[in-house]
Amino acid sequence: MKVFKFGGASVKDAESIKNVYDVLQKVGHDDLLIVISAMGKTTNALEAVIKNYFEKSSEFHASLQEVRKYHNQILLDLFDDEEHEVFFTVNSHFADLEYFLRSNKSPNYNFVYDQVISFGEIVSTTIVSYYFNHLGLKNNWIDVRNFIKTDATYRDANVDWEQTQKLISKGIKKKTLNITQGFLGSDENNFTTTLGREGSDYTAAIFAYCLSAESVTIWKDVPGVLNADPRYFENAILLNQISYREAIELAFYGATVIHPKTLQPLQKKEIPLFVKSFINPLLPGTSVSKGEDLEPKTSCFIVKKNQLLISLSSIDFSFIMEENISEIFALLHKFKIKVSLIQNTAISFSVCIEDKFGNFNELKSILSKKFKVSYNENVSLYTIRHFTKEAAEMVEKDKTVLVKQISRETMQVVTF
């Protein structure tokens, strides 16, 4: 089998969904499993619903209706007959969402987040599946939560590989077109879990691994993997080939084209990953596989915005030793704070972090009892793989450099 993944931008409206159908007509759809994300900015819109729900905001019902209205317009643009079964099915999904929000008793934000956010993918795949059937492209709609089993770490769940392997091996029909959701799983109590933002790529890799697939293709609105994000860098270059090792390095440092967890299961079975354009589907795109580290050989630029730079120093001017650093990292782990850069001197320790779960203030109050804490908010972390002097100068130009770190292949700079 092959596995395709289509992200939110590729199904953001009726014309985009029609284009996905056209892509399949051009590249083939036999013996295929497609992973599809929520439509457009639906995940962001559902996050606003969750925020309003917890804040008991007067905007709550309006924000929920906006999500419903957005999907209903796509339905009206795709289907002529408002009596078509798809309208009832989608309405049923939204009724389930509204029932959960009325009846939920859990104060756990992360639990509620996963139960609500999942409706983006459920509704998206429902619409695409019905539309393809409507055009005569028969397909099998799959609820991914029946196949990918995880622990109960809501919003960042860990896959139970043994159970997931068994369910996928037994339950996925081959020699047909299968459509399922990205990003989602379920725990042992069958509550919905999510695999982390942008986790749909990871979903594709999980299915590919368990099915020993021929390949995975991620369809994007760019021609492949570029050496830099064109939003922040001019003259970005298409990378034709990237080795698994190099791609994992780029993903670790924050390259957003490929999810960090995606590559490891693919590498284990040497399943090639292709990143291609859904606008020009017949172009070769980028191949991530065994082979050359990078072709062409060039500097690669990664930028992570909205980071926090924390500097800790000892109150009594004593050295910050291993036991202190161990304690700091235990707290970072406890509060689910991702560390992107570390630097220390005899009496200070600095980390550049990403506070995805909004736990920094709680962490800071604990650290302040033992250390002098200073920090800079909204800093940017630039990483240059295979850096050159010219590449470094370009990144640092017109910026205040707070921290710089250089190793053999990689340069990292925190700027303000």
Side-chain angles (χ1 to χ4, degrees):
M1 292 187 79
K2 292 181 180 179
V3 178
F4 286 178
K5 179 260 177 172
F6 287 93
S10 64
V11 289
K12 65 183 179 182
D13 53 30
E15 288 307 309
S16 300
I17 294 167
K18 290 174 183 177
N19 181 65
V20 171
Y21 174 82
D22 291 340
V23 168
L24 297 183
Q25 297 305 308
K26 290 174 182 175
V27 302
H29 47 74
D30 295 329
D31 213 8
L32 178 68
L33 184 138
I34 303 179
V35 174
I36 299 176
S37 300
M39 293 176 164
K41 300 294 184 184
T42 297
T43 300
N44 292 344
L46 285 170
E47 284 179 337
V49 171
I50 296 162
K51 181 174 180 287
N52 290 334
Y53 172 78
F54 273 97
E55 292 177 357
K56 296 182 169 51
S57 168
S58 59
E59 297 295 312
F60 167 64
H61 290 291
S63 61
L64 183 56
Q65 286 311 307
E66 276 301 309
V67 178
R68 193 166 192 159
K69 183 179 171 185
Y70 167 69
H71 287 89
N72 197 56
Q73 186 58 56
I74 291 173
L75 285 173
L76 291 170
D77 292 340
L78 289 174
F79 298 90
D80 297 328
D81 180 11
E82 288 187 45
E83 297 299 312
H84 193 287
E85 185 184 354
V86 68
F87 287 88
F88 299 102
T89 306
V90 170
N91 280 335
S92 172
H93 289 319
F94 278 108
D96 290 343
L97 171 57
E98 289 171 357
Y99 175 78
F100 171 79
L101 290 166
R102 282 197 310 273
S103 60
N104 170 61
K105 300 290 190 294
S106 173
N108 183 336
Y109 179 91
N110 292 334
F111 169 78
V112 172
Y113 181 98
D114 280 5
Q115 309 321 301
V116 172
I117 216 76
S118 59
F119 282 89
E121 274 72 17
I122 296 296
V123 172
S124 170
T125 51
T126 297
I127 292 172
V128 173
S129 175
Y130 270 100
Y131 181 65
F132 285 0
N133 276 323
H134 178 66
L135 295 181
L137 181 53
K138 299 304 176 190
N139 64 85
N140 181 37
W141 185 89
I142 296 164
D143 189 332
V144 71
R145 295 169 295 185
N146 295 330
F147 293 90
I148 294 181
K149 303 302 289 186
T150 73
D151 65 8
T153 308
Y154 299 109
R155 292 185 70 191
D156 200 14
N158 299 295
V159 175
D160 180 334
W161 281 95
E162 186 177 347
Q163 200 179 358
T164 298
Q165 174 75 72
K166 284 178 185 174
L167 291 167
I168 289 176
S169 298
K170 287 181 183 176
I172 298 300
K173 294 179 183 176
K174 297 191 177 183
K175 307 298 180 188
T176 189
L177 173 60
N178 299 278
I179 295 177
T180 196
Q181 307 78 36
F183 180 51
L184 310 180
S186 67
D187 64 18
E188 64 179 1
N189 295 313
N190 291 323
F191 287 116
T192 302
T193 57
T194 61
L195 306 175
R197 280 299 295 266
E198 309 303 329
S200 294
D201 293 359
Y202 186 33
T203 305
I206 293 166
F207 274 102
Y209 178 88
C210 294
L211 293 165
S212 295
E214 178 185 321
S215 63
V216 174
T217 304
I218 297 173
W219 296 95
K220 308 281 286 185
D221 55 359
V222 290
V225 179
L226 305 176
N227 76 321
D229 188 329
R231 291 175 298 175
Y232 306 118
F233 298 92
E234 293 178 1
N235 305 316
I237 299 167
L238 176 67
L239 302 173
N240 302 316
Q241 157 71 23
I242 311 173
S243 70
Y244 291 116
R245 179 186 177 85
E246 184 64 28
I248 288 169
E249 290 280 1
L250 292 171
F252 172 79
Y253 287 115
T256 56
V257 176
I258 304 169
H259 190 273
K261 293 179 182 175
T262 300
L263 296 156
Q264 288 150 345
L266 299 181
Q267 184 186 26
K268 283 181 184 175
K269 290 194 176 180
E270 295 186 358
I271 299 168
L273 170 69
F274 299 99
V275 181
K276 294 190 176 186
S277 165
F278 59 71
I279 300 163
N280 296 296
L282 298 180
L283 293 179
T286 300
S287 167
V288 180
S289 58
K290 283 182 73 177
E292 262 191 274
D293 269 358
L294 214 55
E295 198 285 305
K297 291 192 181 299
T298 185
S299 295
C300 294
F301 301 85
I302 301 153
V303 59
K304 294 173 82 171
K305 300 283 188 179
N306 302 315
Q307 304 290 293
L308 268 161
L309 181 65
I310 309 172
S311 295
L312 309 174
S313 55
S314 51
I315 295 169
D316 59 0
F317 294 99
S318 60
F319 291 157
I320 292 187
M321 302 296 284
E322 289 84 353
E323 63 188 81
N324 306 114
I325 295 170
S326 173
E327 184 181 0
I328 293 163
F329 268 94
L331 287 167
L332 290 165
H333 174 72
K334 177 183 176 182
F335 289 108
K336 298 181 180 179
I337 290 176
K338 179 175 169 51
V339 177
S340 301
L341 178 144
I342 307 160
Q343 193 168 82
N344 67 293
T345 67
I347 59 170
S348 72
F349 181 79
S350 297
V351 283
C352 186
I353 64 164
E354 187 173 342
D355 184 24
K356 184 165 74 168
F357 295 100
N359 293 329
F360 172 61
N361 286 332
E362 200 173 346
L363 171 68
K364 183 180 66 173
S365 70
I366 295 172
L367 289 172
S368 298
K369 294 172 185 175
K370 283 198 172 184
F371 304 97
K372 180 183 175 185
V373 180
S374 56
Y375 61 94
N376 299 90
E377 296 180 284
N378 297 319
V379 300
S380 296
L381 172 63
Y382 289 87
T383 302
I384 312 173
R385 285 282 292 166
H386 313 292
F387 68 92
T388 62
K389 182 184 175 184
E390 293 75 21
E393 288 174 351
M394 182 182 74
V395 164
E396 293 177 27
K397 187 179 178 183
D398 301 327
K399 299 181 184 77
T400 301
V401 175
L402 301 173
V403 176
K404 184 192 289 190
Q405 207 169 82
I406 297 174
S407 63
R408 289 184 184 89
E409 290 282 344
T410 306
M411 174 177 174
Q412 290 190 285
V413 184
V414 179
T415 68
F416 197 62

